Amino acid sequence: MSPYDSDPADRRDVDRIVTAAADGEDQAVEAALRPKLLDEFIGQERVREQLSLVLQAARKRGATPDHVLLSGPPGLGKTTLSMIIAAELGAPIRITSGPAIQHAGDLAAILSSLTEGEVLFLDEIHRMSRPAEEMLYLAMEDFRVDVIVGKGPGATAIPLELPPFTLVGATTRAGLLPPPLRDRFGFTGHMEFYAPSELERVVHRSAALLDVEIDPAGAAEIAGRSRGTPRIANRLLRRVRDFAQVRHDGVVDREIAAQALAVYEVDARGLDRLDRAVLDALLRLFGGGPVGLSTLAVAVGEEAETVEEVAEPFLVREGLLARTPRGRIATAAAWQHLGMVPPPQSPRGAVPGQPDLFGGASS
């Protein structure tokens, strides 16, 4: 799937080194780095254990496993887990995406060509068209689709029996799935962001596969700047590898990793140029807020949607920015991260630097 088949926020985000959206290079490298079995998969302990029980029970019964829904932010391993499911079952896998299925006929063509026990991976399932969605209900529950032939009063529905298959749906926005579709999945797993220790293991494993010599401190440095996402960790590792090979002897330690990521403008907390620009404008120009989204976007020279959907989620998750009814405000951690001192507390409702009702400037 092209990165431009993903959500609009991902399309705006795809050029950033810390984006969780996958570009062509990421897809090619990920294919070589992906674990093949559940035992090789790092992190997501709860989902792995639950999924293992589902697959083992199905194998013992000699039956097709329940349909699986994987939700969570991009870059955490939903596609990898779908391929592992197929590998654990010894079954072929068919891969498609919600945006690619715009008509019920598109889905009918895919479903009718499935073989018994095959795994169908449907990425970004929440973006599938409504007619295809309604056809999927029947296919998931009764392994049957009704193909409509003709139009108007003369149209007839021809039932088409399907072999048992397992649908693995992946979504970054589970809340957008209609309840009738969500309820038809027998197992739902939510993917969480990775802890730094888990990302260190990811970096070490990827470094071994890429033939990169890296020490524990270098792996920890990369993991700490990877925003809890293995895809970002692997991308940063490749950029650090390039830096180490061109400017040094190819060995990655903490100092080399820090120098390389400084070149790519990724700081110690994982913030990049856009993240820091948003915080800098919020602190320097607006005294830490509150300030409206549109005003903040103009100050950093970006579209409001880019600031809201690309930069803000990570800043909020890191506790550097808060969304309030009055606008965006910086937290104490944001002032500390940029090495700035917050202004004195203003009277309630006053804006620093603006005159009050009696002609004096509020502090």
Side-chain angles (χ1 to χ4, degrees):
M1 183 182 70
S2 163
Y4 298 98
D5 289 336
S6 57
D7 281 347
D10 289 343
R11 292 199 295 271
R12 289 189 290 271
D13 200 19
V14 76
D15 294 329
R16 304 170 70 205
I17 192 172
V18 291
T19 177
D23 59 16
E25 182 187 8
D26 289 326
Q27 292 172 342
V29 174
E30 284 175 4
L33 299 181
R34 279 194 177 108
K36 303 297 187 291
L37 299 172
L38 272 177
D39 289 342
E40 301 173 3
F41 190 90
I42 297 171
Q44 310 298 336
E45 300 291 341
R46 186 185 309 171
V47 173
R48 281 199 302 123
E49 182 180 6
Q50 295 170 347
L51 193 54
S52 176
L53 291 172
V54 170
L55 299 179
Q56 289 183 44
R59 284 200 301 265
K60 285 188 175 182
R61 292 193 304 268
T64 304
D66 287 339
H67 303 299
V68 175
L69 177 65
L70 301 173
S71 65
L76 299 186
K78 296 187 291 296
T79 302
T80 299
L81 273 182
S82 72
M83 294 181 174
I84 287 176
I85 290 172
E88 294 275 358
L89 295 173
I93 184 170
R94 188 84 54 93
I95 299 177
T96 187
S97 66
I101 300 176
Q102 294 302 314
H103 307 284
D106 300 333
L107 180 61
I110 294 172
L111 293 173
S112 61
S113 63
L114 294 175
T115 58
E116 184 171 352
E118 190 167 355
V119 174
L120 173 62
F121 177 57
L122 190 49
D123 199 11
E124 295 299 316
I125 191 173
H126 64 273
R127 299 183 62 207
M128 190 168 47
S129 69
R130 182 54 58 88
E133 209 172 76
E134 293 172 352
M135 175 178 282
L136 193 58
Y137 296 161
L138 191 61
M140 293 173 68
E141 201 160 35
D142 299 332
F143 297 109
R144 178 172 67 88
V145 293
D146 291 333
V147 180
I148 307 299
V149 178
K151 294 183 178 180
T156 57
I158 300 176
L160 179 63
E161 298 296 326
L162 302 174
F165 67 95
T166 298
L167 174 68
V168 180
T171 178
T172 55
R173 300 184 179 183
L176 297 183
L177 286 180
L181 178 58
R182 196 164 52 240
D183 293 344
R184 282 171 168 79
F185 287 96
F187 171 77
T188 299
H190 180 72
M191 313 283 281
E192 304 283 353
F193 286 105
Y194 280 58
S197 60
E198 294 173 328
L199 286 177
E200 287 181 42
R201 292 166 57 199
V202 170
V203 171
H204 277 297
R205 180 182 181 275
S206 299
L209 293 172
L210 294 173
D211 198 23
V212 177
E213 188 176 346
I214 186 169
D215 67 13
E221 188 71 20
I222 294 172
R225 304 187 187 210
S226 299
R227 303 163 78 116
T229 306
R231 178 176 290 154
I232 296 176
N234 287 331
R235 186 185 298 123
L236 295 184
L237 172 63
R238 299 199 305 274
R239 300 291 75 82
V240 171
R241 173 199 60 186
D242 297 344
F243 179 88
Q245 290 176 348
V246 172
R247 298 193 179 177
H248 296 276
D249 59 0
V251 179
V252 177
D253 57 19
R254 183 183 297 277
E255 184 179 353
I256 299 301
Q259 290 176 13
L261 295 175
V263 170
Y264 290 104
E265 300 183 284
V266 180
D267 69 18
R269 204 160 177 170
L271 276 66
D272 72 346
R273 181 205 61 80
L274 177 60
D275 300 320
R276 288 193 301 276
V278 170
L279 285 185
D280 190 71
L282 182 57
L283 301 184
R284 292 184 188 277
L285 302 181
F286 306 107
V291 62
L293 173 64
S294 310
T295 304
L296 185 59
V298 170
V300 298
E302 296 283 355
E303 296 291 331
E305 292 82 1
T306 301
V307 172
E308 182 178 28
E309 298 177 23
V310 174
E312 281 189 354
F314 180 67
L315 295 177
V316 171
R317 182 160 63 88
E318 284 291 292
L320 300 172
L321 179 146
R323 295 170 172 171
T324 72
R326 297 179 59 201
R328 274 57 177 173
I329 61 172
T331 65
W335 292 96
Q336 183 178 8
H337 184 69
L338 293 190
M340 299 170 63
V341 178
Q345 281 293 106
S346 302
R348 186 173 181 178
V351 178
Q354 290 190 1
D356 59 24
L357 291 175
F358 303 100
S362 60
S363 59

